[in-house]
């Protein structure tokens, strides 16, 4: 295994560099590159699929860690992949799936990255781990750090939703509510980590967040193979070759910093390099209209990200300067996918649709994924037979204020049967 600068291609031994390429600073994000022949020698899709380890650690051979003892006990990953028959039928899609990552222990996708970084920090003997976050990455670090009893210091914008701040505090992290944007919190966290010698988990700075996030793609391909084996009929021969997993045709995911979509791309590239999947899915990056720096770069045909002043109700993707934007644009462009923007109204509208259609309660940034899928379907960009996965990145309980805007009204009544009868539509009481 070695680290490679995504800008200049220079290679480094893992213990030679801790964060980014010394020649390129924060632009020199490092990729972890594995010895794929060696991985194929020690494991296989069949061996992994026989594992009873229902967490990201089932993919140990594909992760950049040495010491199993460093792994935090919290159970991260192996979240459900639901076949969304109800919503699929509404949209004319025969093979729609939802990957419900709100089912992680701190209720977001970010647990995947934080678990790997906490394990890496413990391997390195780090005493304190820090991160900046719009909320979820911090909650995930606070949770994983609590489970391993490592102190954590978290920087979030002071506007972060209450539930996310409650998570940080209840896990015992030291919490700084920064009177500024997420981008400013990021810069401050980096400066503090350098000043006080803390281990920094910051997105697109620590190379191991991507390795944690890629596990979502590994799960999707493994779970799809299982699922398709169950649903493929005799009339429609299986698309799965023995000993392989199945990559979907498209994966939809919301984009803020761009580290999740970059991580999913990395997982797919690893599986492709191993020969465990036969094709790369098209990656569909969804951004809020008010926070669309990656979309702008993609549309302009460049990978240079121009910072913007971001504003969206979806706080987790409210990012003016995406730290991993270049990789996100590459992920979309090189897989032949697209960036799509959605308005805050479309994001809010998607929340009850997901909750009522498939009982998946998404926070706004996660509902944005589905809003983007709805838009793509409306614009007839999707083929009925395509296998499509929408990654739902965070649970709706994290931001009740947004949910209550679209959840509808409860009825307050006197404690009498009469009051219930009067409040009910006639057909439901007779
Ligand atoms: C729920 C949720 N969805 C999507 C994202 C976007 O991920 P990224 O910033 O890596 O693009 C985040 C990041 O905080 C998130 O918490
Ligand atoms: Zn470099």
């Amino acid at each position: 295994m070695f680290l490679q600068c995504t800008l200049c291609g220079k290679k480094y031994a893992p213990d030679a560099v801790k964060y980014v390429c010394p020649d390129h600073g924060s632009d020199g994000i490092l990729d972890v590159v594995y010895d794929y022949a060696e991985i194929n020698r020690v494991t296989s899709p069949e061996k992994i699929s026989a594992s009873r380890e229902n967490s990201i650690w089932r993919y140990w051979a594909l992760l950049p860690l040495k010491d199993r003892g460093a792994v935090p006990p919290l159970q991260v990953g192996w979240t459900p992949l639901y076949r969304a028959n109800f919503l699929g039928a509404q949209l004319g899609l025969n093979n729609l799936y939802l990957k419900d990552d709100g089912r992680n222990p701190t209720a977001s996708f970010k647990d995947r990255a934080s678990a790997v970084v906490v394990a890496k920090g413990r391997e390195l003997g780090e005493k304190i781990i820090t991160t900046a976050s719009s909320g979820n990455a911090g909650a995930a670090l606070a949770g994983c750090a609590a489970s391993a009893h490592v102190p954590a210091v978290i920087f979030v914008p002071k506007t972060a939703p209450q539930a996310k701040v409650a998570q940080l505090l209840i896990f015992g992290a030291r919490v700084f509510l920064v009177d500024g944007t997420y981008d400013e919190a990021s810069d401050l966290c980096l400066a503090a980590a350098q000043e006080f010698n803390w281990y920094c988990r910051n997105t697109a700075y620590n190379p191991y967040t991507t390795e944690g996030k890629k596990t979502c793609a590994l799960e999707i391909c493994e779970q799809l193979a299982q699922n398709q084996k169950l649903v493929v009929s005799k009339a429609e021969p299986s698309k799965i070759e023995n000993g392989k997993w199945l990559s979907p045709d498209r994966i939809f995911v919301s984009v803020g910093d761009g580290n999740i979509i970059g991580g999913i791309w990395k997982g797919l590239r690893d599986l492709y390099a191993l020969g465990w999947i036969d094709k790369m899915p098209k990656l569909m990056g969804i951004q809020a209209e008010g926070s669309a720096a990656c979309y702008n770069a993609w549309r302009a045909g460049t990978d240079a990200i121009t910072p913007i002043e971001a504003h969206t109700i979806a706080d987790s993707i409210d990012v003016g300067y995406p730290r991993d934007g270049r990789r996100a644009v590459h992920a979309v462009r090189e897989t032949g996918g697209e960036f799509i923007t959605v308005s805050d109204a479309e994001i809010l509208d998607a929340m009850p649709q997901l909750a009522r259609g498939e009982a998946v309660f998404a926070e706004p940034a996660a509902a944005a994924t589905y809003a983007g899928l709805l838009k793509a379907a409306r614009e007839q960009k999707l083929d009925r037979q395509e296998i499509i996965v929408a990654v739902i990145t965070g649970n709706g309980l994290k931001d009740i204020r947004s949910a209550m805007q679209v959840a509808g009204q409860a009825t307050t009544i006197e404690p009498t049967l009469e009051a219930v009868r009067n409040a009910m539509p006639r057909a439901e009481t007779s």
Side-chain angles (χ1 to χ4, degrees):
M1 177 191 119
F2 59 88
L3 302 173
Q4 184 165 32
C5 176
T6 52
L7 201 62
C8 69
K10 198 163 165 183
K11 297 174 185 172
Y12 298 93
D15 45 8
V17 180
K18 208 163 177 183
Y19 299 114
V20 288
C21 173
D23 294 349
H24 291 101
S26 61
D27 286 337
I29 299 170
L30 298 176
D31 244 354
V32 180
V33 184
Y34 294 88
D35 178 346
Y36 295 105
E38 174 60 19
I39 294 175
N40 265 323
R41 255 193 304 279
V42 299
T43 192
S44 67
E46 287 103 327
K47 269 195 199 156
I48 293 175
S49 292
S51 165
R52 299 231 179 119
E53 196 153 19
N54 291 337
S55 71
I56 60 172
W57 309 119
R58 66 198 282 108
Y59 305 110
W60 184 258
L62 285 81
L63 290 171
L65 298 164
K66 295 185 199 125
D67 177 7
R68 282 244 177 194
V71 163
L74 214 54
Q75 190 177 320
V76 173
W78 203 242
T79 57
L81 182 75
Y82 294 123
R83 198 176 161 87
N85 287 331
F86 182 88
L87 292 177
Q90 279 186 355
L91 300 176
L93 299 173
N94 290 349
N95 295 294
L96 177 62
Y97 292 86
L98 303 178
K99 177 73 170 160
D100 186 8
D101 250 47
R103 286 280 298 274
N104 274 302
T106 77
S108 91
F109 191 110
K110 301 293 170 106
D111 285 328
R112 297 178 183 278
S114 290
V116 169
V117 171
V118 167
K120 180 53 86 180
R122 292 175 92 199
E123 271 187 10
L124 295 172
E126 302 285 351
K127 298 283 179 286
I128 294 179
I129 309 185
T130 188
T131 197
S133 168
S134 52
N136 285 334
L141 177 59
C144 291
S147 93
H149 297 282
V150 179
V153 182
I154 315 289
F155 296 80
V156 290
K158 75 169 191 201
T159 51
Q162 280 273 294
K164 295 181 184 179
V165 177
Q167 283 185 296
L168 299 175
L169 293 168
I170 207 80
F171 288 128
R174 180 170 299 281
V175 182
F176 290 114
L177 298 179
V178 180
D179 192 2
T181 61
Y182 163 64
D183 301 290
E184 289 168 311
S186 250
D187 292 340
L188 179 59
C189 174
L190 195 56
Q194 283 162 355
E195 180 72 14
F196 306 118
N197 202 22
W198 299 335
Y199 189 51
C200 184
R201 178 217 177 276
N202 270 12
T203 291
Y205 182 65
N206 189 309
Y208 301 109
T209 59
T210 299
E211 292 303 299
K213 289 176 180 182
K214 80 177 183 186
T215 58
C216 183
L218 310 182
E219 289 178 20
I220 287 171
C221 295
E222 182 181 355
Q223 291 171 324
L224 268 182
Q226 280 176 0
N227 201 301
Q228 291 287 310
K229 273 187 195 136
L230 298 177
V231 299
V232 163
S233 70
K234 287 207 179 88
E236 186 193 350
S238 171
K239 294 178 181 168
I240 314 157
E241 278 176 51
N242 274 343
K244 294 212 174 187
W245 289 341
L246 182 64
S247 65
D249 295 293
R250 286 177 207 265
I251 299 177
F252 283 74
V253 65
S254 56
V255 175
D257 270 321
N259 195 243
I260 289 184
I261 198 167
I264 288 175
W265 186 40
K266 174 60 164 47
L268 295 164
R269 284 186 287 138
D270 279 356
L271 291 180
Y272 193 73
L274 287 163
W276 296 6
I277 57 172
D278 285 334
K279 65 164 197 294
M280 293 291 283
K282 295 184 170 78
L283 293 180
M284 307 291 284
I286 313 304
Q287 292 213 284
E289 277 174 4
S291 175
C294 293
Y295 167 86
N296 294 342
W298 172 78
R299 278 240 24 203
T302 169
D303 59 7
I305 306 289
T306 307
I308 53 166
E309 201 180 304
H311 292 291
T312 168
I313 192 168
D315 62 290
S316 301
I317 52 172
D318 192 5
V319 177
Y321 180 49
R323 309 271 152 164
D324 214 353
R326 199 162 43 84
R327 222 165 15 172
V329 172
H330 283 179
V332 167
R333 197 172 279 143
E334 289 182 26
T335 59
E338 281 183 45
F339 270 102
I340 294 175
T341 58
V342 289
S343 67
D344 281 2
E346 287 171 314
I347 291 172
L348 284 173
D349 199 43
M351 288 172 65
Q353 292 195 48
L354 263 178
R356 290 164 198 182
E358 304 292 346
V360 173
F361 184 13
E363 70 161 273
T369 295
Y370 189 64
L373 173 73
L374 286 173
K375 191 165 177 182
R378 219 170 36 240
E379 293 175 357
Q380 305 196 323
K381 289 180 173 164
L382 311 175
D383 185 87
R384 174 177 284 276
Q385 289 305 337
E386 285 183 17
I387 299 176
I388 295 174
V389 176
V391 183
I392 307 302
T393 44
N395 189 282
L397 287 172
K398 282 178 172 273
D399 181 6
I400 287 304
R401 236 164 41 143
S402 295
M404 288 305 271
Q405 288 185 42
V406 282
Q409 292 291 322
T411 311
T412 305
I413 55 166
E414 296 291 323
T416 67
L417 199 51
E418 195 52 27
V420 177
R421 182 172 290 114
N422 289 340
M424 290 293 288
R426 194 167 290 277
E428 290 179 35
T429 50
S430 56

PDB file of all heavy atoms in Angstrom, residues 5 7-8 10 12 21 23-24 28, ligand 2:
ATOM      1  N   CYS A   5      -0.294  11.340  -4.577  1.00  0.00           N
ATOM      2  CA  CYS A   5      -0.901  12.673  -4.727  1.00  0.00           C
ATOM      3  C   CYS A   5      -1.842  12.672  -5.930  1.00  0.00           C
ATOM      4  O   CYS A   5      -1.449  12.276  -7.031  1.00  0.00           O
ATOM      5  CB  CYS A   5       0.192  13.725  -4.905  1.00  0.00           C
ATOM      6  SG  CYS A   5      -0.488  15.370  -5.208  1.00  0.00           S
ATOM      7  N   LEU A   7      -2.832  15.162  -7.424  1.00  0.00           N
ATOM      8  CA  LEU A   7      -2.505  16.263  -8.333  1.00  0.00           C
ATOM      9  C   LEU A   7      -1.261  15.936  -9.168  1.00  0.00           C
ATOM     10  O   LEU A   7      -1.287  16.014 -10.391  1.00  0.00           O
ATOM     11  CB  LEU A   7      -2.278  17.545  -7.519  1.00  0.00           C
ATOM     12  CG  LEU A   7      -2.423  18.847  -8.281  1.00  0.00           C
ATOM     13  CD1 LEU A   7      -3.850  19.011  -8.823  1.00  0.00           C
ATOM     14  CD2 LEU A   7      -2.105  20.028  -7.363  1.00  0.00           C
ATOM     15  N   CYS A   8      -0.163  15.524  -8.503  1.00  0.00           N
ATOM     16  CA  CYS A   8       1.095  15.339  -9.248  1.00  0.00           C
ATOM     17  C   CYS A   8       1.452  13.874  -9.439  1.00  0.00           C
ATOM     18  O   CYS A   8       2.392  13.558 -10.166  1.00  0.00           O
ATOM     19  CB  CYS A   8       2.239  16.063  -8.552  1.00  0.00           C
ATOM     20  SG  CYS A   8       2.715  15.328  -6.977  1.00  0.00           S
ATOM     21  N   LYS A  10       2.834  11.891  -7.355  1.00  0.00           N
ATOM     22  CA  LYS A  10       3.982  11.442  -6.561  1.00  0.00           C
ATOM     23  C   LYS A  10       3.536  10.422  -5.502  1.00  0.00           C
ATOM     24  O   LYS A  10       2.467  10.573  -4.905  1.00  0.00           O
ATOM     25  CB  LYS A  10       4.615  12.663  -5.892  1.00  0.00           C
ATOM     26  CG  LYS A  10       6.013  12.448  -5.415  1.00  0.00           C
ATOM     27  CD  LYS A  10       6.673  13.795  -5.166  1.00  0.00           C
ATOM     28  CE  LYS A  10       7.943  13.616  -4.348  1.00  0.00           C
ATOM     29  NZ  LYS A  10       8.566  14.891  -4.036  1.00  0.00           N
ATOM     30  N   TYR A  12       4.110   8.104  -1.976  1.00  0.00           N
ATOM     31  CA  TYR A  12       4.719   8.196  -0.654  1.00  0.00           C
ATOM     32  C   TYR A  12       4.440   6.914   0.129  1.00  0.00           C
ATOM     33  O   TYR A  12       3.343   6.347   0.030  1.00  0.00           O
ATOM     34  CB  TYR A  12       4.116   9.356   0.147  1.00  0.00           C
ATOM     35  CG  TYR A  12       4.333  10.713  -0.483  1.00  0.00           C
ATOM     36  CD1 TYR A  12       3.361  11.253  -1.331  1.00  0.00           C
ATOM     37  CD2 TYR A  12       5.487  11.442  -0.237  1.00  0.00           C
ATOM     38  CE1 TYR A  12       3.551  12.497  -1.918  1.00  0.00           C
ATOM     39  CE2 TYR A  12       5.689  12.690  -0.821  1.00  0.00           C
ATOM     40  CZ  TYR A  12       4.710  13.210  -1.664  1.00  0.00           C
ATOM     41  OH  TYR A  12       4.898  14.425  -2.239  1.00  0.00           O
ATOM     42  N   CYS A  21       0.015  15.931   0.154  1.00  0.00           N
ATOM     43  CA  CYS A  21       1.297  15.945  -0.559  1.00  0.00           C
ATOM     44  C   CYS A  21       2.105  17.185  -0.133  1.00  0.00           C
ATOM     45  O   CYS A  21       1.619  18.314  -0.281  1.00  0.00           O
ATOM     46  CB  CYS A  21       1.032  15.977  -2.067  1.00  0.00           C
ATOM     47  SG  CYS A  21       2.520  16.208  -3.053  1.00  0.00           S
ATOM     48  N   ASP A  23       4.355  18.697  -1.523  1.00  0.00           N
ATOM     49  CA  ASP A  23       4.616  19.628  -2.641  1.00  0.00           C
ATOM     50  C   ASP A  23       3.388  20.473  -2.995  1.00  0.00           C
ATOM     51  O   ASP A  23       3.522  21.484  -3.676  1.00  0.00           O
ATOM     52  CB  ASP A  23       5.014  18.854  -3.912  1.00  0.00           C
ATOM     53  CG  ASP A  23       6.352  18.156  -3.733  1.00  0.00           C
ATOM     54  OD1 ASP A  23       7.041  18.453  -2.727  1.00  0.00           O
ATOM     55  OD2 ASP A  23       6.695  17.312  -4.578  1.00  0.00           O
ATOM     56  N   HIS A  24       2.195  20.026  -2.584  1.00  0.00           N
ATOM     57  CA  HIS A  24       0.989  20.714  -3.056  1.00  0.00           C
ATOM     58  C   HIS A  24       0.018  21.165  -1.970  1.00  0.00           C
ATOM     59  O   HIS A  24      -1.078  21.651  -2.281  1.00  0.00           O
ATOM     60  CB  HIS A  24       0.251  19.824  -4.070  1.00  0.00           C
ATOM     61  CG  HIS A  24       1.023  19.702  -5.332  1.00  0.00           C
ATOM     62  ND1 HIS A  24       1.785  18.608  -5.633  1.00  0.00           N
ATOM     63  CD2 HIS A  24       1.187  20.585  -6.336  1.00  0.00           C
ATOM     64  CE1 HIS A  24       2.398  18.807  -6.786  1.00  0.00           C
ATOM     65  NE2 HIS A  24       2.054  19.992  -7.234  1.00  0.00           N
ATOM     66  N   GLY A  28      -3.058  18.939  -2.664  1.00  0.00           N
ATOM     67  CA  GLY A  28      -2.428  17.640  -2.917  1.00  0.00           C
ATOM     68  C   GLY A  28      -3.054  16.532  -2.092  1.00  0.00           C
ATOM     69  O   GLY A  28      -2.386  15.860  -1.295  1.00  0.00           O
TER      70      GLY A  28
HETATM   71 ZN1  LIG B   2       1.604  16.531  -5.214  1.00  0.00          ZN
END
